[in-house]
Each structure stands twice: as structure tokens, then as C-alpha cells.
Amino acid sequence: MNQPNPILSIKDLSKTYRSREGAVEALTRLSLDLERGEIIGILGPNGAGKTTAVKLIMGFIKATQGQVIFNNEELKAAEPRPGFGYLPENFRPNPNLTVGEYIKMQYNLARPQAIRAKRSETSEMVSTLLNKVGMAPFAKRRIAKLSKGMGQRVGIAQAIAGNPELMILDEPTSGLDPIGKNEVIDLLLSLKNEGKTILFCSHILAEVERLCDRIGIIVDGNLRFLGKVDEFLAQHQAKDLDEGFKKEVKCTTS
Ligand SMILES: Nc1ncnc2c1ncn2[C@@H]1O[C@H](COP(=O)(O)OP(=O)(O)O)[C@@H](O)[C@H]1O
Ligand SMILES: [Mg+2]
């Protein structure tokens, strides 16, 4: 039997924030492996620790404890993450740029410095990226004039600009109307079909059922469940994720 060889391995990852108001234990010993080509959704209410986990994976903050291992190599905080595509929780690109200008800039930033693309290659890549996220008709539109859903699609375009092996997306569908949400989910599914590996987090449950191979449920910094949606529903005798989730949160807080 083949040994699993996860693309990303998180081991005992913990974060305690220390501020004047005291210590906040935001994440407690999170461990999970992400297999190549898998989509995993980290779900949990606001304040559960999802963004903290994402920031630790990306190296924006230093872990109190634990490791992040990518392709069998441990990554340290503040080191660059080549091979990663990232969409932050509050994605706000420069509103004065057009969609095309912004994606061109991101593409140039994401490509290895040693390789200088010809201008024609760059514009071809920008078109490809915009086509992928359905934004090609809006290349000349200013970012400031985009709907929230279009903005998120631009966010996903910048996350795939460097042709990443692994995408880390923090609440890619939050704040979108149902149509915008479905567009983003369809887009993530098409990326999955291309073989991308995706870890994303969300506080909205229903939408992820058709997207995730596995879900992780975080409540108060603790991973309460990790596995397939069906297993979670069976465990809680719930008809959908919302119901199962309510039961999970209740049994944590009561
Ligand atoms: N920089 C910080 N300093 C102190 N506490 C923080 C900081 N960032 C987040 N927290 C706290 O850590 C907990 C987890 O936050 P976060 O990871 O943003 O949750 P989520 O993304 O699931 O909403 C919350 O209680 C939040 O208030
Ligand atoms: Mg968050």
C-alpha cells in the first residue's frame, strides 16, 4: 500500500496571543494532514481560531507551539511561501487599478524573478487568469467599481497567479449574495478538477457540503471533528451541516 504523502502537514499548532488585556488561547494543538488534490474546509463560528490557523500556516504570525510542514519541509514564520496561493479574509486590492492592471501586477510579483516574461506572454497569462475566474469581460473595469462577488473572483485570480501547488483561502465566500457564492464555489470546484489542493475556512456551512472532501470543525480553538461530511452527519444524527454544527457547538459550550 502506498504511504500517504501529504502536501501539508500541521502538527500540534497552537497560538496564544498576549496583549494588555491578557492571554487569548486562539488555537490549541491543531493537527491535520492535507493530501494532494484534496479540498478541506475548516469550519467554525466567528472567533473560533480559523484565521489564526491560516496566518500560522502562511507564516504571518509565530506559533506558540507546533509545526507547519510543506512537501516534507518545515516552514518557519516570516519565511516566504513559494508554491502557496493565498486569499486573505479581508481582500482589498488597490481600488484605483483596473482588474487587468491589478492581475498583471500580481502575476509579475508571483513569477520567479529570474524569469522575465515577454510582454505578450504576460498579457496572455493575464487573459488566461481572468478567463479562469470569469472576469475577462471586466479587465478594464476599476476595482472600486466591482461587486463583492467580482472582487472575490479577482482575489482568487491573484491567488492562482503563481500557479500554486496549494491554495489557502480565508472565507472566500463570506459577504457574497447566493449567486456570488455559487460562482465562487463553482470556481473552486473547477480548480479542484484541475488538481489544485485547497484549504479554506468558512463560518457558513451549507455552502461547503458540495465542495469539501473533508471538513474540520473548530470551536474555541479546538478541532472538534475532522473527516467526511457524511461521517459528521452520522455522528450527530443530523440532516445537514447546520444541524450537526449546532449540536457540536452545544455539546462544547454546555
Ligand atoms: N492579534 C490578536 N490579539 C489578540 N487576540 C486575537 C488576535 N487575533 C485574534 N484574536 C482572538 O483570537 C480568537 C480567534 O480569532 P480568529 O482566528 O480571527 O477567529 P476566526 O477567524 O475563526 O473568526 C478570537 O478570540 C480573537 O478575538
Ligand atoms: Mg476569520
Side-chain angles (χ1 to χ4, degrees):
M1 215 178 89
N2 280 345
Q3 282 293 99
N5 178 23
I7 183 167
L8 184 76
S9 203
I10 297 167
K11 292 193 198 302
D12 276 337
L13 202 57
S14 302
K15 179 68 186 180
T16 302
Y17 293 107
R18 290 179 204 285
S19 65
R20 257 171 285 158
E21 288 108 74
V24 179
E25 196 174 324
L27 193 68
T28 309
R29 302 185 73 128
L30 175 69
S31 293
L32 64 87
D33 285 346
L34 187 60
E35 302 302 331
R36 262 161 240 281
E38 189 178 34
I39 297 195
I40 205 165
I42 302 296
L43 310 177
N46 287 327
K50 305 179 297 295
T51 296
T52 299
V54 162
K55 287 180 176 167
L56 289 167
I57 294 168
M58 293 306 300
F60 300 143
I61 54 175
K62 202 169 178 306
T64 310
Q65 178 193 304
Q67 293 172 297
V68 176
I69 296 160
F70 177 61
N71 284 333
N72 300 316
E73 274 186 40
E74 186 175 352
L75 301 178
K76 297 289 181 198
E79 278 176 2
R81 299 284 195 266
F84 281 60
Y86 169 60
L87 177 67
E89 185 169 32
N90 297 306
F91 171 69
R92 290 211 183 82
N94 184 337
N96 300 315
L97 297 178
T98 66
V99 169
E101 286 167 346
Y102 173 72
I103 292 300
K104 183 179 164 193
M105 184 179 83
Q106 290 302 311
Y107 171 67
N108 281 326
L109 283 172
R111 59 185 300 112
Q113 289 301 306
I115 310 164
R116 285 259 163 260
K118 286 199 205 111
R119 203 180 283 178
S120 62
E121 277 169 25
T122 302
S123 65
E124 204 173 296
M125 260 319 290
V126 169
S127 306
T128 306
L129 285 167
L130 293 180
N131 264 318
K132 245 184 204 173
V133 300
M135 287 298 287
F138 308 103
K140 296 213 158 68
R141 191 172 288 191
R142 284 202 187 284
I143 304 257
K145 295 258 152 58
L146 299 181
S147 70
K148 183 105 203 294
M150 287 172 165
Q152 284 302 83
R153 283 191 273 153
V154 171
I156 291 169
Q158 65 77 36
I160 55 178
N163 193 22
E165 280 179 76
L166 170 62
M167 300 181 66
I168 308 283
L169 313 173
D170 196 349
E171 306 259 4
T173 59
S174 93
L176 303 184
D177 60 23
I179 295 172
K181 252 175 219 166
N182 275 329
E183 285 173 357
V184 168
I185 290 171
D186 286 343
L187 172 57
L188 298 181
L189 280 170
S190 72
L191 293 172
K192 177 185 161 60
N193 290 336
E194 277 178 30
K196 291 267 187 266
T197 309
I198 302 174
L199 179 146
F200 77 97
C201 48
S202 177
H203 69 279
I204 307 156
L205 309 172
E207 66 193 33
V208 303
E209 294 193 64
R210 68 189 180 99
L211 186 59
C212 298
D213 297 303
R214 284 190 297 155
I215 55 170
I217 305 244
I218 299 192
V219 182
D220 287 338
N222 290 286
L223 186 67
R224 304 278 312 179
F225 173 87
L226 180 66
K228 294 201 169 23
V229 173
D230 292 351
E231 292 164 7
F232 182 70
L233 299 183
Q235 191 172 312
H236 288 285
Q237 298 182 327
K239 64 176 183 327
D240 58 26
L241 268 182
D242 274 316
E243 194 192 336
F245 189 66
K246 278 188 195 124
K247 289 183 175 172
E248 180 68 65
V249 173
K250 210 178 273 165
C251 69
T252 322
T253 50
S254 61

